[in-house]
Amino acid sequence: SRSAPAAIARVSHAATRAIAAGADLLVFGRENSSERAFAVLAADAPKYPHLQARLAESAERIRELKQWLAQHGGPTCPSK
């Protein structure tokens, strides 16, 4: 497990801290919560190179998971 750099650790946005700390997926109970988290991550990413790298790593792992699921009869969802 990696730890986020100190600058990100002080960010008040939970989504940013979670991704920076190594989470690949965030689960929300409401659609508007996911929309807010997306907006926060989009705003925070240009400020933190570590976050940008983590988002790219997460996106790649999610693409790999989707491909694996499609090949093994699992649920699929459209790519954007």
Side-chain angles (χ1 to χ4, degrees):
S1 161
R2 292 184 201 170
S3 61
I8 292 177
R10 291 189 297 268
V11 171
S12 63
H13 308 123
T16 298
R17 288 192 320 273
I19 295 294
D24 287 333
L25 294 171
L26 302 175
V27 178
F28 299 94
R30 296 185 186 164
E31 188 170 338
N32 66 343
S33 296
S34 65
E35 291 167 353
R36 282 195 311 268
F38 180 85
V40 164
L41 288 166
D44 285 348
K47 299 180 231 174
Y48 304 105
H50 175 75
L51 179 61
Q52 290 175 2
R54 280 289 308 120
L55 287 166
E57 292 168 6
S58 292
E60 180 58 30
R61 280 194 286 274
I62 291 166
R63 280 190 290 276
E64 290 171 1
L65 174 62
K66 288 171 71 173
Q67 182 179 24
W68 186 90
L69 287 169
Q71 292 171 347
H72 293 87
T76 61
C77 59
S79 296
K80 291 188 176 192

